[in-house]
Amino acid sequence: MKLSFKNLELSLEYPFGIASYTRTSHPIVSISITQNGMVGYGEASMAKYLGETQESVGNFLKKVDLSNFCAQNSIESIMTYVEELAPNNTAAKTAIDIALHDLRGKLLGVPCYQFVQADPKNMPVTSLTIGIDNLDMIRKKVRGAAGFKALKIKLGSHQDKEIINTVREETEVPLYIDANQGWTDKHEALEMIHWLAEKGTEFIEQPMDRNNRDDNAWITAHSPIPIIADEAMQRLSDLENLKGLYHGINIKLMKCTGLLEASKIISSARALDLKIMVGCMSETSCGIMAGAAIAPLCDWADLDGPWLITNNPFEKPMLVDGKIQLKNQAGLGLTLL
Ligand code: MG
């Protein structure tokens, strides 16, 4: 097997604001792994709070030597080798995991969702994320979200209620709320959550700082709707520490090193009776179709990357009734434009 990679700057359709920052583009690293003339695609999209950059991903990928591996080796054995090269570097590792699954699927003529025993019939709707912005732009973005049956709204600004009221003037679809650790007072947060529940909110992601275990647990104990860990939940090993702190978790492939570990997280989380959502970073159709492969195993999906960028190198996933369609196509089913 041979690995190659290149940097790519994703252009965002709108400046993207969350509780802690705003950005207009997002760096990723696109990779391909080839064998027998077949190409598997993967990508690394780095979360700011996890400390990876294009440079760190490049440095990690330079250490990866796949020349001794071939299709006969299991993805698990290759990922064990990759994991042992260095700690952290989760997005870099995810890029390899995704490309290996795409390649394996193409070599065997099998769609990737079959590797994780996901049934496309159970696909949840995917939300489209509305970042923090001025109210005119919020209105414009909501009007542009036709076709989506749920919206994820970023809060943690100085005008959270005005944002929700503006959204509700435009649409009645269910709302998923992401505070991105932006709320600082548990009593105010709980009051807000009650208000949001009345406005048709299904769940809240990461209300307070991920290190503030007590206040997040207190909110979970009192909330009328599920509280979901995002920043607090990265790898399988984190699950144990989240018991009793949240009602559920947000799995993102870029945090957990890919499909292999994600499917283990799903099994363990179900055993702990946790709700599960699958989310994403700024990603092309490549990362998103990998997330979509496990989405039927989850309660909620927030896989909107391709709808928020303007230079996707692949065809956009197909959306029917607000659900990403998993095609009966080998690998991830990607088509390069
Ligand atoms: Mg989140």
Side-chain angles (χ1 to χ4, degrees):
M1 287 181 180
K2 192 174 169 297
L3 167 74
S4 53
F5 63 92
K6 62 170 189 237
N7 291 341
L8 182 65
E9 190 74 20
L10 295 182
S11 306
L12 305 182
E13 183 157 19
Y14 300 113
F16 190 72
I18 68 167
S20 51
Y21 64 89
T22 298
R23 55 186 162 76
T24 55
S25 69
H26 187 90
I28 67 165
V29 180
S30 296
I31 80 160
S32 54
I33 297 177
T34 49
Q35 186 185 330
N36 301 343
M38 207 67 98
V39 185
Y41 297 108
E43 67 189 18
S45 178
M46 295 73 75
K48 214 171 179 180
Y49 69 93
L50 295 177
E52 285 180 275
T53 60
Q54 280 176 331
E55 194 185 5
S56 73
V57 170
N59 287 339
F60 182 85
L61 294 175
K62 280 179 204 155
K63 289 186 213 157
V64 179
D65 178 8
L66 297 181
S67 60
N68 291 324
F69 293 102
C70 64
Q72 275 67 44
N73 298 107
S74 67
I75 292 177
E76 180 124 35
S77 67
I78 302 172
M79 289 308 293
T80 300
Y81 154 76
V82 168
E83 183 64 47
E84 285 168 356
L85 288 172
N88 305 318
N89 292 286
T90 59
K93 291 169 184 172
T94 300
I96 296 169
D97 168 284
I98 293 174
L100 288 173
H101 278 87
D102 188 35
L103 178 62
R104 177 65 50 96
K106 285 171 176 162
L107 290 168
L108 298 176
V110 169
C112 284
Y113 58 83
Q114 282 188 16
F115 293 136
V116 292
Q117 277 119 39
D119 183 345
K121 286 201 293 290
N122 297 329
M123 178 64 85
V125 301
T126 190
S127 56
L128 182 80
T129 301
I130 309 287
I132 292 173
D133 215 322
N134 66 60
L135 299 180
D136 287 342
M137 282 305 291
I138 297 275
R139 194 180 298 281
K140 189 177 168 198
K141 289 177 190 177
V142 173
R143 286 181 181 171
F148 287 87
K149 306 292 182 193
L151 292 178
K152 179 160 130 169
I153 312 294
K154 296 284 193 181
L155 295 184
S157 72
H158 61 281
Q159 51 176 7
D160 285 352
K161 285 192 177 175
E162 291 88 338
I163 287 175
I164 297 300
N165 286 332
T166 302
V167 171
R168 274 292 172 246
E169 282 166 22
E170 298 295 327
T171 178
E172 290 303 314
V173 298
L175 302 181
Y176 310 159
I177 300 295
D178 192 353
N180 287 108
Q181 319 182 78
W183 293 335
T184 50
D185 180 287
K186 68 178 179 184
H187 297 283
E188 280 175 27
L190 185 63
E191 203 176 304
M192 186 69 181
I193 291 166
H194 277 280
W195 184 83
L196 288 166
E198 282 170 20
K199 296 282 176 187
T201 296
E202 286 201 10
F203 64 84
I204 311 280
E205 250 181 84
Q206 203 64 58
M208 300 186 68
D209 188 286
R210 63 180 161 149
N211 297 314
N212 188 344
R213 294 168 58 87
D214 291 348
D215 286 353
N216 280 307
W218 183 86
I219 289 173
T220 296
H222 293 86
S223 172
I225 52 176
I227 304 295
I228 307 295
D230 182 6
E231 284 85 346
M233 169 67 205
Q234 287 152 32
R235 309 254 348 225
L236 179 61
S237 53
D238 294 322
L239 254 192
E240 213 177 315
N241 295 323
L242 297 181
K243 223 176 152 188
L245 267 57
Y246 299 90
H247 297 109
I249 54 167
N250 182 351
I251 296 175
K252 290 178 183 161
L253 296 183
M254 297 297 159
K255 296 188 294 186
C256 76
T257 72
L259 287 166
L260 195 68
E261 184 155 321
S263 54
K264 292 178 188 173
I265 293 174
I266 290 171
S267 307
S268 301
R270 288 299 183 205
L272 293 169
D273 208 19
L274 289 168
K275 295 275 189 190
I276 303 170
M277 77 177 282
V278 55
C280 64
M281 310 293 182
S282 290
E283 295 169 18
T284 75
S285 299
C286 177
I288 293 305
M289 289 311 290
I294 55 162
L297 306 170
C298 303
D299 301 293
W300 301 289
D302 173 39
L303 296 170
D304 57 0
W307 289 272
L308 302 174
I309 58 175
T310 56
N311 57 344
N312 190 349
F314 302 95
E315 261 180 25
K316 214 185 253 190
M318 207 202 298
L319 202 66
V320 176
D321 285 337
K323 300 174 182 180
I324 291 177
Q325 300 298 293
L326 288 173
K327 296 179 260 180
N328 188 12
Q329 224 176 311
L332 294 170
L334 297 169
T335 306
L336 258 182
L337 291 173

